[in-house]
Amino acid sequence: MAVANKEPIAGPGGLVPTDSLRGVASTNFNFEHRAFQAPGAVFRKDKADGHIAMHLMLGGVAASVEIGKLTRTFSIATQSPDGELLRSIDHALTLIPELRPGDSLPVELLDGTATWTLEQRHFDRARSKILLQLVKRVLWDVPAADAAVDVVDLIETPKIKNEIPTAIAAAARQIEMSESDMTFNAIPRFAGELAQIEALREKVARYAVIRKKLKALATIYRNDVRNTETIHRVSVLVLQPLNALRDLFRQLEQRTGEIMLCLQQLTPTVQYLRGVRDSLREFVLLWHDLDVAWLDLLVERSGAVDALVARTYRLAATHYSQSEAWQPTTNTGSRQSL
C-alpha cells in the first residue's frame, strides 16, 4: 500500500488468499488455449445477472461468450491450468471491472495486500484513531471516541498529544512488546490497513445521496403512479444493503475499539480488516457508475431521471432479494478470533 498526498483511490481492494487459487501455477492469466488469443478478448461480469463472459471481436463484429460455454465448447477441463485460471476470474472481477488474457493476477488474490493509492488524510485519520484509543483505553479507561469525531484535530490538543508517548509505552508493557516495535511496526501496520477502510468509508458515505434523492423524487412524482411505484421499490431495495453496511461499520468500530487486543493479535486483526475492506470494495465497484450518475442527477421530472431510476431498480432487484437479508460477503470471524 502506498500513501500519497494528492492521488485518489485508483485501484481495487484486496482479498485474503483463497482455495480458489490453489493449483494456479502462474501469476498471470496466461491461457494455453488459442481461443483466449482472440483479438480484443476481455472478461467482464454483467452487473444485471452476474454472469461472466469473454468479449471479443470476430470479423470486426463484437461478440461475447459466457465462461460456461467456453469450457464446454473447447473442452477445457476444470483441473487444467486454463480451468484453474477461469475459476479465479470470478473472484478477481469482484474487485476490478475487467480482466484481459495476459494480465497479472491481482496481488490481492495472492497475498491479500491492496494496490490502490491512498490520500494522506486517510492514513492520518486511521493513525489518529489508534493513538486516541490508546490514550483513552490505556490511561483513562474510557471508551474510544465516536466515529464522527474529527480525531486528526483532537489528538493535536495538548490534553491528548502530551499523553500519547506515555500511552504507547504503557500499551507496549501490557502486551509485552518493545516500545520501538509498537511505535515503528505495530501501530503503522495497523494504521495502514485501517486507512484503506477510511478511504472506502468516504466513498460509501456518498450513497446516502441516493436515498435522499429518491425521497425527493417520490414527492415530485407523487401523481405519477407508475414511476412512484418504481421509486418506492428502489427505495426499499437499496435500504437493505445500506443498512447492512451501516451495521458493518458499527461492528468495525466495536472491534477496533478493543485496541489492546487488536495490537496484541495483529495478524488476525489485519485479516479481519481486510475482510471488511473486501466487502466495501465489492459494493463500491458494483455501484460505481450509478453512484456517479446519482451524484450528478438534477432532482426533477425528466427522461434522464426515469432512466436512472429504472437502471437502479434493475441492479438492486438483481442483487438484493427482499425475501432474505443481504449481508456483506466478508468473513469477519468471531470476536474471539481477534
Side-chain angles (χ1 to χ4, degrees):
M1 180 208 69
V3 177
N5 289 324
K6 297 182 179 179
E7 292 296 324
I9 294 177
L15 287 174
V16 176
T18 64
D19 289 343
S20 66
L21 296 178
R22 289 180 181 174
V24 176
S26 173
T27 57
N28 292 75
F29 283 91
N30 291 328
F31 293 97
E32 297 178 354
H33 201 286
R34 291 182 60 185
F36 300 104
Q37 300 172 20
V42 58
F43 293 95
R44 298 191 184 99
K45 178 181 286 190
D46 191 308
K47 289 188 177 182
D49 57 24
H51 292 158
I52 296 173
M54 185 175 77
H55 300 260
L56 66 160
M57 299 299 294
L58 292 176
V61 179
S64 65
V65 185
E66 290 188 9
I67 282 184
K69 290 183 179 179
L70 274 174
T71 57
R72 291 192 297 272
T73 301
F74 299 107
S75 301
I76 298 174
T78 302
Q79 301 305 320
S80 68
D82 282 356
E84 295 286 356
L85 287 173
L86 286 173
R87 287 200 302 142
S88 68
I89 285 177
D90 185 37
H91 212 170
L93 289 179
T94 62
L95 299 168
I96 54 178
E98 63 181 28
L99 189 151
R100 300 176 185 277
D103 282 355
S104 299
L105 277 166
V107 295
E108 297 88 348
L109 295 176
L110 297 173
D111 62 14
T113 58
T115 56
W116 66 63
T117 301
L118 304 177
E119 292 189 17
Q120 184 65 43
R121 69 176 183 278
H122 301 132
F123 184 82
D124 290 343
R125 191 181 306 140
R127 180 176 178 275
S128 297
K129 283 187 174 183
I130 294 169
L131 295 178
L132 181 62
Q133 288 170 356
L134 280 175
V135 171
K136 289 201 163 194
R137 291 286 190 178
V138 178
L139 299 184
W140 301 348
D141 194 25
V142 296
D146 184 87
V149 172
D150 187 347
V151 291
V152 177
D153 288 341
L154 190 57
I155 67 164
E156 290 300 319
T157 61
K159 182 180 179 181
I160 302 292
K161 190 173 185 178
N162 295 337
E163 296 278 30
I164 290 174
T166 305
I168 291 176
R173 288 194 299 270
Q174 285 187 33
I175 63 176
E176 298 181 344
M177 179 185 294
S178 71
E179 189 174 338
S180 175
D181 198 23
M182 174 71 77
T183 302
F184 299 107
N185 179 26
I187 291 176
R189 184 184 177 197
F190 190 5
E193 298 290 339
L194 193 58
Q196 298 165 36
I197 293 176
E198 290 300 317
L200 290 167
R201 186 198 297 272
E202 277 187 7
K203 296 181 74 66
V204 169
R206 301 191 320 188
Y207 294 102
V209 171
I210 298 176
R211 290 180 59 188
K212 291 179 181 178
K213 289 191 175 182
L214 281 169
K215 186 176 181 179
L217 288 173
T219 300
I220 294 174
Y221 280 85
R222 61 183 177 275
N223 296 323
D224 184 330
V225 176
R226 182 176 63 83
N227 280 313
T228 296
E229 289 180 353
T230 304
I231 290 169
H232 174 71
R233 292 193 191 101
V234 173
S235 299
V236 171
L237 287 170
V238 301
L239 184 63
Q240 185 186 122
L242 293 178
N243 283 344
L245 289 175
R246 179 200 61 197
D247 293 341
L248 182 64
F249 279 119
R250 183 183 296 119
Q251 182 190 48
L252 171 72
E253 298 302 328
Q254 292 173 346
R255 297 282 290 267
T256 55
E258 297 175 356
I259 186 65
M260 296 304 294
L261 191 57
C262 288
L263 289 168
Q264 187 175 32
Q265 300 184 20
L266 195 54
T267 296
T269 295
V270 168
Q271 292 174 344
Y272 166 74
L273 292 175
R274 289 180 177 180
V276 173
R277 179 195 67 192
D278 296 343
S279 283
L280 295 175
R281 178 58 188 173
E282 184 175 357
F283 183 90
V284 166
L285 186 63
L286 179 65
W287 281 84
H288 173 67
D289 54 342
L290 285 173
D291 163 36
V292 174
W294 276 100
L295 283 174
D296 294 339
L297 183 72
L298 292 177
V299 181
E300 60 185 13
R301 293 179 70 102
S302 69
V305 167
D306 296 346
L308 183 56
V309 170
R311 282 177 58 204
T312 306
Y313 174 71
R314 287 194 296 271
L315 182 136
T318 299
H319 294 277
Y320 311 119
S321 169
Q322 290 179 278
S323 61
E324 7 181 300
W326 178 83
Q327 294 295 328
T329 55
T330 180
N331 179 15
T332 56
S334 64
R335 179 170 296 272
Q336 287 77 15
S337 69
L338 280 182

